Amino acid sequence: MTVERILPSDEAYELLELTREIAEGELAPRAARYEERGEFPRDVLRTLGQAGLLGLPYPEADGGAGQPYEVYLQVLELLASKWVAIAEAVSVHTLSCFPVAAFGTERQRKSLPDMLGGDLLGAYCLSEPQGGSDAANLATRAVRDGDDYVLNGTKAWITHGGHADFYNIFCRTGGPGAAGISCLLADAATPGLLPQKPERTMGLRSSAPAPIVLEDARVPADRLVGEENGGFRIAMQALDAGRLGIAACAVGLAQAALDHAAAYAKDRTQFGKPIAAFQGVGFMLADMATQISAARALMLAAARLKDAGRPFSTEAAKAKLFATDMAMKVTTDAVQVLGGYGYVSDYPVERYFREAKVLQIVEGTNQIQRMVIARSLTRD
Ligand SMILES: Cc1cc2nc3c(=O)[nH]c(=O)nc-3n(C[C@H](O)[C@H](O)[C@H](O)COP(=O)(O)OP(=O)(O)OC[C@H]3O[C@@H](n4cnc5c(N)ncnc54)[C@H](O)[C@@H]3O)c2cc1C
C-alpha cells in the first residue's frame, strides 16, 4: 500500500524514491535467503553507503547528507519494509557514528567521512552479559597505562560484532555508577579485541549480535571520546536518537505485514467469499492500519522535536514503546489472517513475527521505556 507522506523538501521526496528503488531492487530479492542462511550482507551496506543513505542525519560538512531526522526515519521505514535487519543495521551504524560526530576531537572527526559514507562500519558496545538494562553498572574496565588504556571485560549482544571496523566501547575508568564510565573508540584490529561466535537468534539472523571479549586490549588514550568518566551521557544521548530508529524499523516491518495480510485476505476465499469480506478479518486489518498510522505519527512528532532542537527524549521513548508493541501485535495478527499459511516459512509473515519481538527488547526494553516516561511525569 502506498503511504501518503508530507515531506519537508523536494530532495526528501527524491531520497525516498531512491530508497524505494534500492529496497525493492537490492533488498527484497535477498532478504529471505540471507535470513535463512544467517549471512551478513556487508555488500548491501556498502551499496547503501554509496547511495548516501548511511549518514543521512549528519551535517554535509562531516560527510553526511544533512537531512532532518524525520526524513532519515522514513528512509529507515522503507528499508525495514523490505528487510528489517538491514534497517536495524543502518540504525545501529548511525547511532555508532554519534559519539565521534557529537563529542569527537578534531583528529577523531577526520574519520567521519569514511564512517558516514559506509566505508567504515560501526558498533555500539554498552550491554554486558550480567546486565543490559542496568547499563550504569557495567563492569568492563579500562586502566590507563602510559599512552594507552588497557581494557578487560566482555561486551554482550553487539550488533556488527565481528563485522564492524570501529567499536564504541563504554567502559569503567572511574568509580561505580554512571559517573565512572568512559567511551573509547577502538579499531577492529586492536589486539585483544576478540569477537566471539554470533548468537543464534530468533530473528534478524542475517545480522546476529556477537559478544566481544576484551583481553588486555590496548586502545590509545587519544581515542577517548569526550571526557574521561563522561561516557554515560554520550551513551544515553546516542540511545535517545537511536530509539527513534528502532521505532522506524517497527513501523516499516508492521507495514510490510499489513500489506501482505491485506493482499492475502483479498485473494483467499472461504465460504465462497474473499476472507477480507468477513468483518472479523476486515476489522482486524482496519485496526492494524490504524495502529501503524498512530505509531508513524508518534515517531514523526518526536523526530520533529529533535529537528527543532527541542527536548525529545520522553517522546522518543513513547514512540519506541508504542511502535514496537504495535509491530508485535500487527505481525501476530498478520499470521492470524493467513491462517495455517501464516505459520510456515513459504510466506514472509512468520519471519516478520519473529523479527518484531526483538524490537521490544533492543535499545532499552519496553519496560525501561515506561520507566523513562513515568520518570518524566513525576520530575520536578
Ligand atoms: C538482537 C540484539 C541486538 C542487540 N544489539 C546491541 C548492541 O548493538 N549493543 C548493545 O550494547 N546491546 C545490544 N543488545 C542488548 C540489548 O540492548 C539488551 O538485551 C537489553 O538492553 C536488555 O538487557 P538484558 O538482555 O541484559 O536484559 P535484562 O536487563 O536482564 O532484563 C531482563 C528483563 O527484566 C526487565 N527489567 C530489567 N530491569 C527492570 C526494571 N528496573 N523495571 C522493570 N523491568 C525491568 C527487562 O525489561 C527484561 O524484560 C542487543 C540485543 C539483541 C537481542
Side-chain angles (χ1 to χ4, degrees):
M1 199 180 70
T2 311
V3 175
E4 289 298 334
R5 296 175 196 273
I6 299 173
L7 297 168
S9 66
D10 289 346
E11 198 187 354
Y13 283 101
E14 283 162 23
L15 199 54
L16 258 70
E17 200 39 52
L18 170 72
T19 307
R20 194 169 286 114
E21 277 169 28
I22 294 177
E24 279 166 12
E26 308 270 341
L27 270 52
R30 294 166 72 179
R33 200 164 14 109
Y34 275 63
E35 286 301 320
E36 176 76 30
R37 293 202 299 235
E39 192 176 330
F40 183 69
R42 181 67 178 94
D43 65 308
V44 172
L45 289 163
R46 278 208 186 84
T47 304
L48 295 178
Q50 280 156 9
L53 300 184
L54 285 190
L56 285 175
Y58 292 100
E60 284 173 299
D62 290 336
Q67 287 299 312
Y69 223 70
E70 67 162 308
V71 174
Y72 158 64
L73 293 181
Q74 293 180 81
V75 165
L76 275 188
E77 188 195 320
L78 288 186
L79 296 175
S81 70
K82 300 299 173 197
W83 192 351
V84 72
I86 291 294
E88 199 245 7
V90 173
S91 177
V92 169
H93 175 74
T94 306
L95 163 94
S96 303
C97 295
F98 174 83
V100 170
F103 295 92
T105 60
E106 276 314 304
R107 188 156 172 215
Q108 291 164 359
R109 291 170 60 81
K110 288 210 166 78
S111 304
L112 271 177
D114 286 338
M115 292 174 168
L116 299 177
D119 290 333
L120 298 178
L121 186 66
Y124 172 93
C125 311
L126 181 64
S127 304
E128 297 190 349
Q130 77 285 358
S133 300
D134 189 9
N137 235 335
L138 60 82
T140 294
R141 194 153 261 295
V143 177
R144 185 74 189 254
D145 181 33
D147 289 339
D148 299 327
Y149 284 98
V150 181
L151 276 74
N152 281 287
T154 302
K155 290 293 170 183
W157 310 109
I158 304 308
T159 300
H160 303 155
H163 301 290
D165 300 292
F166 65 94
Y167 292 80
N168 294 281
I169 302 182
F170 296 94
C171 49
R172 190 157 302 286
T173 43
I181 293 171
S182 295
C183 175
L184 287 171
L185 185 68
D187 280 339
T190 306
L193 188 156
L194 309 167
Q196 307 294 298
K197 231 171 102 210
E199 305 290 348
R200 288 157 54 96
T201 52
M202 182 190 291
L204 299 187
R205 290 181 183 150
S206 64
S207 182
I212 306 290
V213 168
L214 297 154
E215 260 177 29
D216 290 330
R218 278 186 173 269
V219 177
D222 66 3
R223 305 283 282 178
L224 173 72
V225 183
E227 289 174 9
E228 192 175 76
N229 298 326
F232 197 68
R233 188 166 68 99
I234 300 176
M236 292 302 112
Q237 280 189 24
L239 279 183
D240 277 345
R243 281 169 185 161
L244 285 175
I246 300 301
C249 290
V251 172
L253 182 64
Q255 185 69 55
L258 170 64
D259 290 349
H260 203 93
Y264 185 88
K266 206 167 133 203
D267 280 354
R268 175 75 170 175
T269 56
Q270 290 293 292
F271 302 97
K273 285 185 189 170
I275 58 169
F278 301 120
Q279 211 174 56
V281 174
F283 277 15
M284 206 188 283
L285 294 172
D287 284 346
M288 290 157 82
T290 307
Q291 293 290 302
I292 294 169
S293 296
R296 184 179 290 117
L298 205 51
M299 164 187 101
L300 292 179
R304 285 171 189 145
L305 282 177
K306 175 168 164 45
D307 288 332
R310 306 275 290 278
F312 69 98
S313 171
T314 310
E315 296 311 302
K318 288 180 193 167
K320 194 271 182 184
L321 167 64
F322 185 83
T324 59
D325 280 357
M326 174 284 293
M328 195 67 248
K329 171 83 172 94
V330 165
T331 55
T332 304
D333 288 347
V335 171
Q336 193 69 17
V337 169
L338 267 73
Y341 295 104
Y343 199 64
V344 292
S345 57
D346 304 14
Y347 293 86
V349 291
E350 66 83 31
R351 172 158 66 80
Y352 298 156
F353 168 83
R354 288 187 284 105
E355 290 170 336
K357 185 63 218 170
V358 80
L359 303 177
Q360 295 178 301
I361 296 169
V362 292
E363 300 202 15
T365 65
N366 283 4
Q367 285 78 20
I368 297 302
Q369 307 307 322
R370 287 182 173 92
M371 277 171 53
V372 170
I373 299 161
R375 260 192 225 133
S376 79
L377 297 172
T378 51
R379 199 178 292 136
D380 286 335

